[in-house]
Amino acid sequence: MNDTLVTLVGNAATGVEFRETATGGMARFRFAVTPRRWDREKQLWTDGHTSFFTVWAWRTLALNLSGSVSVGEPLVVHGRLKVREEEREGQRRTFVDIEAVAVGHDLTRGTAAFRRVMRAEPALTARVGSVDGAGAPAEPEDVAGPGGPDGSGGSDGSRRGRSTDRQKAAKELASVP
């Protein structure tokens, strides 16, 4: 398959919207990219036209984005370029999306502290009562991650407190075009 891979440097224009799907987590946010150019006549840097992209992420990347990215933060996004056209209210509109492969903070504009996500063994998260242990994984109770012990995911550091908030957000996200 021939995909067009791009790397963009810009800022998160909206918060990350996260929801659970049948195949895992899904997240999206708007991303603003503004080129800067040296104006020889004025002898200073000027901003060009800002382009906006919708960044989509799946599974683990989606979950990690939801716990790591806030509005206005400088990011580097690497992924597949997708251009689509739709007709809304009688007008043809073009949308440019990025299906993210990797997203990180732009360290030329600040510092970051990386925290590795702990993965549970499948046998530990298998559904109770399954014969072969291959049942659907249970919600991990003490796995550190984006909602881990730093308190961002709930009062006890578990991800359980966030599931109802995510379910509410998923319903709201489903209604957004």
Side-chain angles (χ1 to χ4, degrees):
M1 181 187 307
N2 293 327
D3 289 330
T4 303
L5 292 174
V6 295
T7 301
L8 303 170
V9 178
N11 295 301
T14 65
V16 176
E17 300 174 30
F18 178 85
R19 70 174 169 177
E20 290 287 341
T21 66
T23 59
M26 186 278 301
R28 72 175 177 185
F29 67 96
R30 296 285 286 163
F31 189 62
V33 176
T34 305
R36 292 184 53 83
R37 305 214 189 300
W38 179 254
D39 186 338
R40 290 183 186 181
E41 294 174 12
K42 296 179 183 176
Q43 293 294 306
L44 40 100
W45 289 96
T46 58
D47 288 340
H49 175 73
T50 301
S51 298
F52 289 90
F53 303 87
T54 301
V55 178
W56 297 87
W58 306 96
R59 296 173 289 286
T60 305
L61 178 57
L63 182 62
N64 291 344
L65 275 172
S66 70
S68 303
V69 174
S70 299
V71 175
E73 291 184 343
L75 301 173
V76 178
V77 174
H78 180 72
R80 292 173 196 85
L81 180 67
K82 307 282 183 179
V83 179
R84 59 188 167 88
E85 291 187 12
E86 292 181 11
E87 191 166 325
R88 289 187 183 176
E89 300 172 6
Q91 292 185 345
R92 194 150 193 84
R93 300 183 70 184
T94 302
F95 299 93
V96 182
D97 299 337
I98 307 296
E99 187 178 315
V101 172
V103 177
H105 286 97
D106 183 356
L107 298 182
T108 62
R109 295 166 43 198
T111 63
F114 180 78
R115 290 182 307 274
R116 186 173 302 279
V117 176
M118 302 297 289
R119 303 264 190 270
E121 293 183 34
L124 296 176
T125 59
R127 198 179 281 175
V128 177
S130 65
V131 177
D132 61 356
E139 181 78 23
E141 292 185 30
D142 59 353
V143 176
D150 63 347
S152 62
S155 60
D156 62 351
S158 71
R159 290 181 15 210
R160 281 205 188 277
R162 291 175 37 184
S163 64
T164 56
D165 292 337
R166 286 191 180 144
Q167 290 168 350
K168 291 176 189 174
K171 290 178 184 175
E172 291 173 13
L173 186 59
S175 65
V176 177

